[in-house]
Every structure is written in structure tokens, then in C-alpha cells.
Amino acid sequence: MAEKYRQLRAAVDGVPAVDAHAHNLAAVDSAFPFLRCFSEADGDALFSFAPHSLSFKRSLREIAQLYNCEASLDKVEDHRKSAGLVSISSKCFKAANLSAIFLDDGIQFDKMHDWEWHSSFAPAVGRILRIEHLAETILNDEAFGGSKWTIDSFTQTFLTKMKSVADKIVAMKSIAAYRSGLEIDPEVSKIEAEEGLQQELSGAKPIRITDKSFIDYLFTCSLEVALSFDLPIQIHTGFGDKDLDLRKSNPLHLRRVLEDERFSRSRIVLLHASYPFSKEASYLASVYSQVYLDFGLAVPKLSVQGMISSVKELLELAPLKKVMFSTDGYAFPETFYLGAKWARDVVFSVLSTACDDGDLTIAEAIEAVEDIFRNNALQLYKLNGIVGSINNSCTKSFENTLKSNISIKDTVFVRVIWVDASGQHRCRVVPSKRFYEVVKNTGVGLTQCSMAMSSFCDGPADGTNLTAVGEIRLMPDLSTLCRIPWSKEEEMVLTDMHIKPGEAWEYCPRSTLRKVTKILYDEFNLSINAGFENEFYILRKVVSEGHEKWVPFDLTPYCSTSAFDGASPILREINAALQSLDISVDQLHAEAGKGQFEIALKHASCILAADKLIYAREVIKSVARKHGLLATFVPKCFLNDVGSGSHVHLSLWENGQNVFMGSNDSETRYGMSKIGQQFLAGVFHHLPSLLSFTAPLPNSYDRIQPDTWSGAYHCWGKENREAPLRTACPPGVPLDLVSNFEIKSFDGCANPHLGLTSIVAAGIDGLRRGLSLPEPIETNPSDHGSKLRRLPKELRESVEALAGDEILNELIGKKLVTSVIGIRKAEIDYYGKNPEAYKDLIHRY
């Protein structure tokens, strides 16, 4: 890459894109064939010949590389099935770097998820209303009147339904090109529309609208509504599946609509680069103020040169402020990844060539990147009914870079990060050039005994069955690759542990969490979201009589305004760094300990939440270090002060709906659904064993004491902060219902992937066996005396419970559990013999 284009490349790769046109995902076992990920063909053209196209061969290799598996269709499909939809969706959407996706849910796939379900994988999700689908839904619903429709009664119902959702959608869309073509008559008479409607009603059921006069009438009515609600309307143009007559999908056919004065102030988006009519679309955008362009579907269904040619033709005449990105992702998360990857590569190629030709300066090209991938869509679409939020921090950082004209330097190092079974963050550092040429594909070698190390010794603990013999590969998960906010010339990436590239190691924490979440999804169609509360102390160093000592940053109480004021510069920098990593903070405040603070993170899908927790800890410790301070997550760094937890809130989701929450049904108990009760009952039943994962050090049990809000007794309660399991009813949740549950016995020394693994495994057991909860404790558990059993008072008790817990051993994996038990026993022995050694933990956690 030419040195002068490094800043442009960084802008293209880094911009959090708005995917302005896509479709819903379908379950992995959907009848919709995975080959359709690569082609618009069907039948023999799909199964016999599509695998021999240029785009298929390229795309298959790229998906295999993302998944670290063999580049064959069978191996990719095997990986998809074994990993599960939640896992592959998380990986694909992370790699795509999308800040929002707008979904046309009018196309129907077998086992399709609803549009809100996708909010687990993208920061923001919006809905696009397909007008023909709305009309067909009305006509096929007998409740609306069936064959008794007249054009007047239908129009009234159609417009009423459309207007009722107009403030909940980002745009409308028409697929007239698929049905009767784009030569739309905006002056179609009501008589012609009536005849067309009756023709549709007399045809086969269910109705699939094809009559041109009726479609033209629907389009005109919809365009009028869109104009009145200031909504854009997207129009399919150019190629698609074979259901379409390509001769009728040339956007030049739209001239009568574009020339109609009624619609001169409308906003019409021509989809799919209008391929192969890209030049025609570019011309229309240049001469009609209401025409905008979108280049989804053309990328990446074409060859590399075809993609470049299509986007280049769009930009030959069209203003840069009118061209927008989308993936046209559908059914398969891989389509989102491929669409985003190649859109970035193609736009970089076209814009850098434009700079070579003198059409653009580099600064103008970077501005075009922001416009094409983000700003144009944010300005055009109404963003109604968005689920989530679109983070603008990355946009601002690029704008500031552009204004200051500071070149983005080469990345010097990449930190290859893993978290071991004792919860310690570790990394190998690789020079950037070697990382991108070699390591990102083949990984880094690591001794197997790295997963047998304790908090006090960088050597294998006895009883783990892991020794210095044997090596694994740390395989970078490129979806987690990011620039380090506090060290701009470095990047960091989380890793999976493989025996060899493509073959997961059974001791790998991330792979194990994927395994149990896949079981949860496969058996119960459930996914789980998690949100962590990070409690930590900020310490400052003092020197007295030649001795160094770490003392609290301040001496203020819980939620003190002066505490926040004193730490505000540090917390602002932490928050900015977290935002740059797309880690959302729900709230932060001073905690009850002297120098103690808490930062609560927004909930996300289980694996993503664990990944973000690791990066959040890295941010907090590194920013504190930058200020000459030390941030520590040790559970009890001062025995005479309160402890620090990493409380986690969990909820169960099915098809985009929180199904942990109960309803007003009389059968619902405790504000939870039956599924929620059984899952929580499993966690309750296995709680003593879980503590080996969530409270992994002897010091953890110095924190878990009565009357300290840490959950010392084996019980649960609704909004009871002294219970280890608390069901929560945050603002917005109906009275007497709960939205999630919190585990308080989870601390900052726990490996978050292993901690969540144990919780999910326990919940699975609760669902499989239909376990029931005991009655909740509504008062301080300490008041119940001997009636309530204490949770393990020390790590030894929890390890004994885990050793005898056959169900967790089976679900998590006996080898991994054996290793964890060996490490925990080493911790018990060492800290028992060295009671003051816990003070050194502030430098490890």
C-alpha cells in the first residue's frame, strides 16, 4: 500500500458503517439452502453451476478464513452447524463493523428471525416496510374482508396500516421491479386499479400481487405517504433472482415518476447499484435531486473487477453525498460479513484511484468514506423505531483526524490476548507486519501448561494434567481486532485456543462458552445476554521511610459527588476509550469502599459481553497506569474495607424477545416465565459448584460475607441485594415482573468466559430437569439464622462441590474441570501457607 494512502485505508477499515438495506437472518437448519449465500440462482443453476463462479470461490475462502476452517463448502457448513447461529452471527457482525442495520423483513425465509432479534448483534436495528408485502398481508387475511374488497375499502385499510407504522420505520421499499417492472405510471386511474385488484382477488391463493395497474397504484399511494412522513422509499433496481425480468428493472424506466411534480421533494433510493445499469443510475442521481444510490447486492456477488467497475460507474456522475453503502445481507450472517468486507475494499480501490487521477485529494477521499459508509444514511433515513443506539464517537474521531491533518501511523505491534483459567490477562506481542502476513492465519504457538498456571506462579499446578509438554495455537479472532485507545500504534485481538488451526482445544474458555451456548440454543432455542458491573479500586503509591505502599485514591463514601469530581478526568478518559472500542457504559459511580468505583456495561450476547469485559478491564487498568495510578479488581484488596465484585446480570432471549420475563398470566410465579424459573433453579442448585469459576481465589471468600451485599447465603430473592441471586425489575418493566437476574458471587479475578460457561451449563440442567425454585427470601438472609445454609465460606468447599458435580463436569468438560480444580487447590495451599500474599494480587488483577 502506498504510504500516502495509509490514512485513507485506516478510515475505510475503521468507520462504523450504517448498513442501509438488508434482510432477516434464518436459523442454521433453515430449508433455505446455504448455497444461496453465494448466488441469486436457483435449481440446477444453483446447485450444479454456482460453485464454479468467481465470486463463489473467493467468498468461500474468505468465510473459511474467518472461521479458521478448511475452505470447502462441506467444512464451512459443518462449522456453521457446530458453532450455531448465535456464535457465527456474533463473529460475522463484529468483523463487518456495523453500527446499524436496516432490515426489510418483507422477504420470507424458512425459520426466519424477526427484525428486533438482530439487536443482539448490532448496536442499532431499524425496520424497512415493504409495501407489496403489506398489501399481500392485508389481502390474504380473511379478517380484513377477503374477496369483498373494493379499491376504496382496500386503500383505506392499506393507508391506515401504513400510517400506523410510519413513525416506527426508517424507510419504505418497493419490489415493483420483480412483479411488473419499473415503468410505473403515476397517473394510473382508480378504475384501472380496481380492475387490477379484482383480477388479483380472482386468482390463486395466497395472493401474490402481479397486476401492473394495481402495483402502480400501490406505489403511488405509498410514495405520497412517504412524502408526508418525510420517509425515503427504496426501490429494487437491476439484477436479482430469476423471478425478475432484468429488461424491466432499468431505473431509466422511472422517469415518469421522477418528472411528476408531486414527487419532486421525495427521496428515492435506487438499490443494488442498479447493476448492470450502474451508469444509468449514476446519471439519474446527477440530474434528479430526489434520487440516491445504494450499492448493496452488487457487492460481493460479482468478481473483484466487476465490483470495482460497478461502484466506479456509480461515482462517474453521481454526487458523493448521494451514494450509500449496504450489504444486502440476508438469511446468512456471512452475507453481512462479505458485503461489508468487499464494500470497504472496493471503495478504497475506487477512491485511491480517484486520488491518483486527480479527481480527489486524500482529505476529500476520507470525507467521502465517512459519507458513503455512514453520514449520508444518517442524514437521509428518519431513524424511527430504532432498537439500540448509533454511536457517533468513531465518526467524531475521524473528523478530528481529518481537521488536524494528522496521518494515522503504521501499527507497530499487535497484542495477542488470552485469559487463563486463573483469570489473568496475558498476551503475546507480534510485530504488525508479521501478524498480518502470518499470524492472523496460522496463530501463535503456546505451551499447553499456560492453562494450568495459578495466580502466584507462572508454572503448571499439580493435578491439572497439563505440563510443559505439548503446544497449542492461539488463533486470533479477527472480529475482536481493534486499535488500542491508549497506545495508538498498537492493536489488540482476543484469541481462541486450537490444537491446530480450525480445531478447537477442549481447554479453551471461549470455545467452551460457545459449546454450552450452542447446547442452550439447539435444545431450547434460547440465547443469553449478559451485562457486567465492574467494581474496582483506584490506588496511588506513597513512599514512607523508603518503603512503597499503595493506598486508596480518596477516602470518600458511596456515590460521593466529590469522589466523582476528583476522579472525573480519569473516568472521562476511560469512558472515551470504551466508546472507541464500541463498549457501551450504562452508568458509573463511586462505590462504598475508599477509592472504589463501579462502571456498569450494557448487556450484550453472552460471548460478546465476556469479550467486552476483558477489554474494559484492560482499558481501566491502562488508563489508571497512564495517570500514575493502579486500578485493581482484586475481590478484597483491603480486608477492613468492602470488596469488589463483577456482578453479572443475565436474561434469556428467544427470537428477539426477552423470555426470562413473566407475564400477567396467573401461572407466572415470581415475575418470571416458566423457562426463567427453571433456568434460575438450575443456577441456584449448582451455585456452590459455580463459585469455583466465579469466585476463583481464597481472597474471593474474604469478600463473600454476610451483610456486605455480596451474597453469602444459599438463597435467592426479588430485588434483595443480600441474596447471591437477585431478580431485577428495572424502570420500564411492568410491576411484579422481572427482566433478568443478577449473580453477585462473581468477581474480577474470574475468567469471564469460564464463569459464564458454568452459569449457562447450570441453567441448561435446570431446563432439562424442569427444576423448581424454593421460595424467595424477602429480608436480610442473616436474619434467618440456621434456617439458611451458607454458601461455601472458603474456596476449598466450592472445589469439593465442583469435584462431585457430575452434571457440570459433563457439560463443561471433565478435562477442563480437572485443570480448574488443580489450579484452585494450588491456590488454597499457597495462600494458606502465605496469608499476606494476597496483597501482591493488586499487580495481577
Side-chain angles (χ1 to χ4, degrees):
M1 184 197 312
E3 178 66 28
K4 65 179 180 178
Y5 292 136
R6 291 196 180 276
Q7 187 179 4
L8 177 60
R9 182 76 247 186
V12 168
D13 290 341
V15 60
V18 174
D19 184 354
H21 178 260
H23 304 278
N24 304 47
L25 293 177
V28 170
D29 59 349
S30 167
F32 194 61
F34 180 58
L35 263 177
R36 287 295 301 269
C37 176
F38 307 96
S39 174
E40 294 295 296
D42 202 356
D44 196 46
L46 174 68
F47 293 100
S48 296
F49 298 103
H52 302 287
S53 65
L54 300 181
S55 64
F56 173 87
K57 294 180 182 297
R58 180 193 70 240
S59 297
L60 185 66
R61 288 195 302 272
E62 288 161 348
I63 294 171
Q65 183 175 342
L66 180 68
Y67 291 160
N68 288 317
C69 69
E70 182 182 318
S72 72
L73 187 62
D74 288 342
K75 292 298 183 183
V76 167
E77 291 200 83
D78 287 345
H79 177 86
R80 299 181 85 251
K81 293 174 183 176
S82 64
L85 183 62
V86 171
S87 175
I88 63 174
S89 296
S90 179
K91 184 181 288 288
C92 288
F93 279 98
K94 283 184 190 177
N97 188 17
L98 303 176
S99 62
I101 52 175
F102 301 157
L103 297 173
D104 161 22
D105 58 356
I107 187 171
Q108 300 297 299
F109 304 117
D110 175 54
K111 297 185 180 180
M112 184 179 88
H113 292 285
D114 64 57
W115 71 275
E116 291 178 311
W117 178 87
H118 299 72
S119 61
S120 297
F121 306 104
V125 180
R127 183 189 178 211
I128 299 167
L129 178 69
R130 183 185 289 210
I131 62 178
E132 291 84 2
H133 178 68
L134 174 62
E136 289 168 346
T137 301
I138 294 170
L139 293 176
N140 287 314
D141 190 340
E142 293 297 330
F144 283 110
S147 60
K148 300 178 182 179
W149 288 115
T150 65
I151 195 62
D152 287 331
S153 63
F154 172 80
T155 302
Q156 181 179 0
T157 302
F158 178 71
L159 294 181
T160 299
K161 294 283 288 183
M162 180 173 284
K163 291 175 182 178
S164 71
V165 298
D167 62 346
K168 302 177 182 67
I169 59 176
V170 297
M172 296 181 186
K173 179 187 173 182
S174 171
I175 56 165
Y178 270 99
R179 304 300 176 82
S180 55
L182 293 181
E183 197 169 0
I184 294 169
D185 178 7
E187 300 291 344
V188 61
S189 70
K190 188 176 286 189
I191 295 175
E192 293 171 310
E194 177 77 65
E195 292 174 351
L197 171 60
Q198 298 308 318
Q199 184 72 24
E200 301 287 4
L201 293 172
S202 64
K205 301 295 186 297
I207 294 172
R208 179 181 180 276
I209 298 170
T210 58
D211 183 86
K212 183 179 185 310
S213 294
F214 186 51
I215 290 174
D216 291 357
Y217 179 79
L218 287 177
F219 181 92
T220 305
C221 291
S222 301
L223 196 51
E224 289 173 344
V225 173
L227 190 58
S228 67
F229 281 89
D230 194 26
L231 286 168
I233 185 165
Q234 300 179 343
I235 303 178
H236 182 106
T237 61
F239 80 130
D241 61 49
K242 71 174 187 178
D243 190 35
L244 172 146
D245 186 339
L246 189 60
R247 296 166 297 181
K248 297 180 179 181
S249 63
N250 188 324
L252 292 180
H253 289 309
L254 290 168
R255 190 176 177 209
R256 289 187 65 185
V257 173
L258 300 177
E259 292 286 340
D260 193 310
E261 289 187 4
R262 292 174 295 168
F263 307 128
S264 62
R265 298 180 63 83
S266 61
R267 290 174 295 166
I268 295 173
V269 183
L270 306 181
L271 296 174
H272 312 318
S274 298
Y275 181 86
F277 310 112
S278 302
K279 288 185 177 180
E280 289 88 337
S282 181
Y283 164 74
L284 292 176
S286 71
V287 298
Y288 291 102
S289 63
Q290 68 267 51
V291 174
Y292 296 78
L293 308 178
D294 180 297
F295 56 83
L297 184 62
V299 176
K301 287 293 191 294
L302 307 177
S303 69
V304 173
Q305 290 304 314
M307 292 187 286
I308 293 173
S309 174
S310 180
V311 174
K312 184 178 179 181
E313 287 180 350
L314 284 187
L315 297 181
E316 285 182 356
L317 286 172
L320 292 167
K321 297 290 184 182
K322 284 188 161 192
V323 179
M324 286 170 289
F325 154 80
S326 75
T327 63
D328 194 49
Y330 58 92
F332 317 104
E334 295 86 354
T335 57
F336 289 83
Y337 164 66
L338 293 170
K341 177 189 185 302
W342 276 103
R344 295 180 192 276
D345 288 350
V346 168
V347 167
F348 172 76
S349 175
V350 172
L351 293 182
S352 59
T353 299
C355 291
D356 287 338
D357 294 340
D359 287 331
L360 295 173
T361 66
I362 293 177
E364 289 169 338
I366 292 175
E367 182 180 3
V369 167
E370 282 288 295
D371 286 340
I372 290 170
F373 283 102
R374 187 173 177 84
N375 290 340
N376 292 345
L378 292 179
Q379 292 175 17
L380 181 71
Y381 293 95
K382 288 291 289 183
L383 308 185
N384 294 323
I386 286 286
V387 175
S389 62
I390 301 175
N391 186 341
N392 286 299
S393 61
C394 294
T395 300
K396 293 176 182 176
S397 69
F398 278 109
E399 290 174 351
N400 293 336
T401 300
L402 184 60
K403 290 175 182 176
S404 60
N405 200 28
I406 298 174
S407 295
I408 299 175
K409 298 180 181 179
D410 293 345
T411 301
V412 177
F413 294 131
V414 179
R415 301 183 191 181
V416 180
I417 295 174
W418 75 99
V419 181
D420 66 18
S422 67
Q424 294 180 86
H425 294 200
R426 301 179 185 267
C427 75
R428 290 285 186 88
V429 181
V430 181
S432 178
K433 186 173 186 295
R434 176 169 174 77
F435 178 85
Y436 284 102
E437 289 180 353
V438 179
V439 171
K440 74 182 184 71
N441 296 319
T442 61
V444 172
L446 185 73
T447 174
Q448 290 186 359
C449 70
S450 290
M451 280 299 286
M453 294 178 180
S454 64
S455 67
F456 61 88
C457 178
D458 289 339
D462 292 338
T464 59
N465 293 332
L466 294 173
T467 68
V469 178
E471 183 171 275
I472 59 166
R473 307 299 295 178
L474 291 175
M475 297 301 300
D477 181 347
L478 297 182
S479 68
T480 69
L481 181 66
C482 57
R483 189 173 293 272
I484 296 178
W486 61 91
S487 183
K488 297 295 186 181
E489 295 181 27
E490 295 183 58
E491 293 174 317
M492 58 184 176
V493 65
L494 297 178
T495 57
D496 293 320
M497 296 174 172
H498 286 194
I499 296 174
K500 59 183 179 180
E503 184 178 345
W505 191 39
E506 54 201 326
Y507 292 84
C508 174
R510 295 179 87 233
S511 298
T512 305
L513 179 55
R514 285 194 199 96
K515 178 184 74 174
V516 295
T517 54
K518 181 179 184 297
I519 293 171
L520 181 67
Y521 184 80
D522 288 347
E523 292 189 17
F524 305 102
N525 196 34
L526 295 174
S527 57
I528 187 165
N529 278 12
F532 285 93
E533 299 174 4
N534 287 274
E535 292 177 344
F536 57 95
Y537 276 83
I538 298 179
L539 309 178
R540 58 186 177 87
K541 183 168 63 175
V542 297
V543 179
S544 177
E545 298 179 352
H547 296 286
E548 292 183 354
K549 184 179 181 181
W550 290 94
V551 300
F553 175 76
D554 63 21
L555 303 176
T556 53
Y558 174 71
C559 280
S560 165
T561 55
S562 60
F564 189 87
D565 192 47
S568 182
I570 302 167
L571 298 175
R572 286 201 306 268
E573 189 170 342
I574 288 172
N575 185 61
L578 292 174
Q579 284 188 344
S580 73
L581 297 174
D582 196 28
I583 299 175
S584 299
V585 173
D586 276 352
Q587 58 176 300
L588 58 164
H589 61 267
E591 259 297 345
K594 298 177 180 64
Q596 189 185 34
F597 294 86
E598 177 182 304
I599 296 179
L601 305 181
K602 181 180 179 181
H603 72 91
S605 60
C606 200
I607 295 174
L608 183 58
D611 290 348
K612 290 190 174 186
L613 179 64
I614 292 169
Y615 277 166
R617 291 175 183 171
E618 288 289 306
V619 166
I620 293 167
K621 291 180 71 70
S622 297
V623 171
R625 188 180 301 115
K626 175 183 173 182
H627 287 266
L629 303 168
L630 187 150
T632 178
F633 298 90
V634 171
K636 196 82 168 179
C637 62
F638 300 112
L639 297 184
N640 61 348
D641 208 340
V642 301
S644 293
S646 185
H647 310 159
V648 60
H649 291 255
L650 298 129
S651 54
L652 296 170
W653 295 75
E654 182 177 16
N655 299 325
Q657 299 295 319
N658 184 343
V659 294
F660 182 81
M661 187 185 302
S663 67
N664 293 321
D665 191 320
S666 60
E667 295 181 2
T668 296
R669 298 188 68 192
Y670 315 126
M672 284 177 276
S673 65
K674 184 177 180 181
I675 288 173
Q677 293 173 51
Q678 292 176 349
F679 188 94
L680 185 57
V683 176
F684 177 87
H685 177 77
H686 292 279
L687 193 54
S689 304
L690 300 189
L691 264 61
S692 291
F693 294 96
T694 64
L697 296 179
N699 182 259
S700 300
Y701 298 81
D702 293 327
R703 180 182 80 90
I704 304 175
Q705 297 294 325
D707 305 317
T708 60
W709 292 13
S710 57
Y713 290 88
H714 197 168
C715 63
W716 76 279
K718 183 175 180 180
E719 296 293 11
N720 187 343
R721 284 173 167 78
E722 276 293 343
L725 299 175
R726 172 178 76 97
T727 56
C729 181
V733 174
L735 189 65
D736 296 328
L737 300 184
V738 296
S739 64
N740 62 82
F741 71 95
E742 176 188 26
I743 298 184
K744 288 191 164 292
S745 46
F746 201 123
D747 65 47
C749 295
N751 179 308
H753 293 94
L754 291 181
L756 290 175
T757 293
S758 66
I759 294 166
V760 175
I764 289 171
D765 182 46
L767 292 169
R768 283 177 172 176
R769 295 198 286 158
L771 296 180
S772 300
L773 285 165
E775 288 301 310
I777 299 300
E778 305 292 351
T779 58
N780 189 337
S782 296
D783 297 339
H784 292 256
S786 60
K787 294 180 181 179
L788 284 180
R789 183 161 56 99
R790 277 289 304 272
L791 283 175
K793 296 180 182 179
E794 56 184 28
L795 180 58
R796 185 186 310 276
E797 296 177 31
S798 179
V799 169
E800 291 172 354
L802 177 61
D805 196 322
E806 295 182 2
I807 291 172
L808 289 194
N809 273 263
E810 179 183 353
L811 281 168
I812 297 172
K814 290 186 177 180
K815 289 184 178 180
L816 176 55
V817 171
T818 297
S819 177
V820 167
I821 290 175
I823 295 169
R824 303 298 184 259
K825 287 183 176 180
E827 306 276 7
I828 294 166
D829 180 65
Y830 177 79
Y831 291 104
K833 295 175 180 177
N834 301 277
E836 294 295 305
Y838 78 92
K839 295 178 181 179
D840 296 330
L841 292 173
I842 60 172
H843 302 290
R844 287 184 174 259
Y845 298 96

